[in-house]
Amino acid sequence: MSRYRLEPSRTQEEILLRHCSDARYVWNLCVEQESWWRRGRGRMPGFAERCRQLTEARAASPWLAEGSVTVQQQAIRDHAQAMARFFTGTARRPRWRKRGENEGFRVIHVKTPHVRRLNRSHGEVYVPKAGWVRFRWSRPVPGSAKSFRVTQDRAGRWHLAFAVIPEPVHGPGTGEAVGIDRGVKVTAALSTGEMLTVPRLSGRESSRLLRLERKLARARRGSTRRRKVKAQIARVKAWEVDRRKDWIEQASTDIARRFDVIRVEDLNIKNMTRSARGTAAQPGKNVAAKAGLNREISRSAWGALVRRLEDKAPGRVQKVPPAYTSQRCSACGHVARDNRESQAVFLCTACGYAANADVNAARNIAAGHAVKARGGDRDAGPVNREPQLDLLAS
Ligand SMILES: [Zn+2]
């Protein structure tokens, strides 16, 4: 994801804000609809059905019809993808969006060319209803991008990001397979014994953030000082996000280049077996909020890593059934519940093999038999790929 600073004019900013509010409105409608769902009520409407509902709603409401249909439909798609991630256990259930938080919308290009360069430092992108909006040409614009996202951060700055499917990375050609387990403490454990952890803020940065948050709590509502502190907080949080994204790109390229076959657990199944797997080290909801947050970050990074691997190593990522991966000894094959001495250490009661529990699981995954892709997590269409245009006609 390459991000650029967007510089809308005053009038354009109004339109962008309207797009944000439309996207939020439609997203929240989807969230509300999901919240009505109860067991036995049948399926929730899918993307196509919701687009049909949107068409009806637009016909009934002039206010809604005034907004951009592209922006509104993309919000439905965003929500559908968020639900798909939730069902695979890689993200939280999509939540209600509040004004001023995570403001943004997605546009898919119908018209090309949609991006043009003005001079050395600036370019323009075509946004429905707003027309050509200037942005800082801070790095090359990917030619393959067919959709982009416009966001406004809490500091009020506008950004533009193009969604790009990365070029496939070639494997080594040796046939070597690697297993990757979603770790408890680490983001990903490799069967080679490597432990990958998504970067977080350093101790110094965390304390700075804490200081700023205290400052914010003391600042008067609506004051200039409050706005300034808010912007500072937004900047610190943005570092963390940037670092996480870089990490995902680097880790996925590295793995795709070093191994020909990449095996991960099938999360659709894993989600259900996790609780049976003995999570003694995760005492549930009473753990400190921070530990919960770290786990959340790690989880979403794991999901993003697997999606990136599928992009960069198409056809080389295999989903393995998760049964017994954590209880089986990767040295002798003995399976027993009591093999697990603790969440962190695996100790085989049959042969005495001892290893980091996540690495032992990763080794089992590396040796695992691939299941056919069931497509369960692809209901909303592959993430980062382009929506089908026929669904957008209205
Ligand atoms: Zn053993």
Side-chain angles (χ1 to χ4, degrees):
M1 205 62 127
S2 32
R3 218 160 69 126
Y4 305 81
R5 189 74 177 269
L6 198 62
E7 297 173 338
S9 70
R10 199 49 82 74
T11 343
Q12 285 174 330
E13 189 166 24
E14 302 261 299
I15 297 164
L16 299 188
L17 282 170
R18 166 73 206 248
H19 287 344
C20 286
S21 102
D22 276 0
R24 193 189 333 116
Y25 176 78
V26 171
W27 168 282
N28 285 343
L29 277 184
C30 293
V31 170
E32 211 179 308
Q33 215 172 38
E34 293 289 340
S35 74
W36 297 336
W37 189 86
R38 295 289 176 274
R39 210 167 277 283
R41 280 235 188 123
R43 276 179 64 96
M44 282 308 292
F47 175 70
E49 169 63 14
R50 284 210 170 114
C51 282
R52 206 189 50 72
Q53 292 175 353
L54 176 66
T55 310
E56 278 175 17
R58 281 172 63 89
S61 154
W63 173 80
L64 204 58
E66 246 176 40
S68 158
V69 69
T70 312
V71 167
Q72 292 166 3
Q73 281 179 334
Q74 289 311 302
I76 296 178
R77 176 168 292 275
D78 281 348
H79 179 267
Q81 288 182 341
M83 283 307 286
R85 286 181 199 182
F86 166 65
F87 285 132
T88 57
T90 57
R92 265 199 231 194
R93 179 178 274 280
R95 280 174 298 178
W96 191 266
R97 274 193 190 157
K98 283 188 213 140
R99 191 187 178 136
E101 282 173 32
N102 309 316
E103 290 280 34
F105 59 91
R106 178 149 59 141
V107 175
I108 67 139
H109 302 303
V110 191
K111 280 184 205 145
T112 42
H114 45 267
V115 178
R116 61 191 186 197
R117 191 156 190 174
L118 289 173
N119 51 45
R120 216 168 59 84
S121 59
H122 282 86
E124 283 183 322
V125 64
Y126 192 84
V127 178
K129 294 189 189 277
W132 292 97
V133 184
R134 277 164 69 96
F135 67 93
R136 280 192 216 158
W137 198 282
S138 44
R139 65 191 84 179
V141 170
S144 58
K146 291 205 178 62
S147 86
F148 61 87
R149 189 179 291 280
V150 171
T151 51
Q152 190 190 35
D153 63 21
R154 287 169 197 231
R157 293 171 303 189
W158 292 94
H159 295 279
L160 165 71
F162 295 98
V164 192
I165 306 168
E167 289 290 309
V169 174
H170 291 289
T174 57
E176 199 182 338
V178 70
I180 315 176
D181 187 33
R182 179 169 79 173
V184 173
K185 286 234 171 69
V186 296
T187 309
L190 269 56
S191 51
T192 57
E194 288 159 83
M195 305 290 224
L196 309 180
T197 306
V198 66
R200 305 211 171 90
L201 291 177
S202 70
R204 229 169 125 186
E205 289 158 351
S206 300
S207 30
R208 178 175 149 77
L209 187 60
L210 198 67
R211 257 196 330 272
L212 286 169
E213 273 164 353
R214 283 199 197 116
K215 224 172 169 182
L216 183 71
R218 287 195 303 263
R220 220 170 351 99
R221 278 195 170 273
S223 64
T224 317
R225 185 173 133 89
R226 190 181 169 87
R227 218 182 47 236
K228 273 190 190 152
V229 176
K230 260 190 160 172
Q232 282 172 318
I233 290 175
R235 227 166 297 144
V236 177
K237 286 189 172 165
W239 291 341
E240 193 182 23
V241 172
D242 286 350
R243 234 172 271 170
R244 195 182 314 156
K245 283 180 178 164
D246 286 348
W247 178 85
I248 288 161
E249 292 306 333
Q250 279 167 18
S252 56
T253 299
D254 179 57
I255 293 167
R257 190 174 287 148
R258 284 169 54 206
F259 304 97
D260 280 322
V261 181
I262 299 151
R263 296 201 173 108
V264 294
E265 282 184 311
D266 192 334
L267 278 175
N268 278 326
I269 309 169
K270 185 166 183 167
N271 214 17
M272 287 178 253
T273 56
R274 263 284 154 159
S275 54
R277 202 169 136 166
T279 46
Q282 295 181 18
K285 280 169 186 147
N286 295 329
V287 286
K290 198 174 172 198
L293 183 68
N294 281 345
R295 203 162 48 238
E296 190 74 38
I297 291 168
S298 218
R299 234 185 196 207
S300 73
W302 163 262
L305 179 69
V306 172
R307 284 194 297 274
R308 253 333 187 218
L309 282 169
E310 287 175 328
D311 284 339
K312 290 180 181 175
R316 297 196 281 126
V317 177
Q318 295 178 349
K319 303 261 173 106
V320 171
Y324 306 120
T325 49
S326 60
Q327 287 155 27
R328 183 182 178 275
C329 170
S330 65
C332 74
H334 177 68
V335 176
R337 288 215 70 145
D338 54 358
N339 267 346
R340 306 215 66 180
E341 180 159 276
S342 73
Q343 195 69 18
V345 181
F346 178 90
L347 182 64
C348 178
T349 50
C351 76
Y353 171 79
N356 174 290
D358 294 327
V359 172
N360 179 66
R363 291 206 174 120
N364 283 325
I365 293 164
H369 305 287
V371 285
K372 240 182 116 208
R374 302 175 318 143
D377 56 337
R378 290 279 167 180
D379 271 354
V383 175
N384 282 342
R385 273 167 218 271
E386 299 316 318
Q388 287 156 30
L389 287 174
D390 56 332
L391 289 173
L392 294 159
S394 68

